[in-house]
Amino acid sequence: MWQCNACGYVWDGEEAPEQCPKCGAGHAKFTQLDDKAADLIERARYTNSLHMQIYALMEEVMAIAEEGLDDNLDAGCTKIFEQTLVQAEFVQQAIKAELQGHMKKGKWG
Ligand SMILES: [Zn+2]
């Protein structure tokens, strides 16, 4: 992996690119990441993908809860569906905040 020293973009490849796809800096602006730094980026990408899977599942959970609310069988069921909506949205907000934190710390390869 190679990192652009101008903007922080990480390039995957045997060689650095001719030009940074993000900021346009030249080949010489890239430095090769050591194994430890490359490993951290791989792990962050994996964790980010897990977060995104959960985020997408919460969308499905919320859609199911909305169907339950529409069905409106009784107060007990409605309460559970309402709580489901709140909890699923909370998980999504927490994921967004965490991923923004990763990007600020440069963990988003
Ligand atoms: Zn760049």
Side-chain angles (χ1 to χ4, degrees):
M1 284 183 197
W2 300 79
Q3 188 158 35
C4 174
N5 295 322
C7 73
Y9 178 85
V10 175
W11 171 268
D12 294 82
E14 291 294 313
E15 302 286 333
E18 283 307 308
Q19 206 175 34
C20 176
K22 189 175 173 193
C23 75
H27 184 84
K29 283 282 181 189
F30 280 83
T31 50
Q32 190 164 21
L33 294 175
D34 62 25
D35 287 348
K36 199 178 164 196
D39 187 56
L40 182 64
I41 287 173
E42 288 290 356
R43 288 197 51 211
R45 285 175 178 172
Y46 175 65
T47 298
N48 289 341
S49 79
L50 296 179
H51 281 306
M52 293 317 293
Q53 287 176 57
I54 291 172
Y55 192 96
L57 284 172
M58 289 303 110
E59 288 290 324
E60 289 181 43
V61 167
M62 288 160 80
I64 294 166
E66 293 280 5
E67 284 180 42
L69 286 172
D70 287 345
D71 187 44
N72 197 21
L73 179 64
D74 59 39
C77 292
T78 299
K79 191 178 172 193
I80 291 170
F81 293 133
E82 283 170 352
Q83 286 173 340
T84 301
L85 278 180
V86 170
Q87 299 286 341
E89 195 178 345
F90 179 83
V91 169
Q92 285 189 325
Q93 298 290 354
I95 287 170
K96 278 194 276 186
E98 179 64 19
L99 292 185
Q100 279 170 1
H102 284 192
M103 281 186 271
K104 283 194 188 117
K105 288 181 222 156
K107 282 185 184 173
W108 189 290

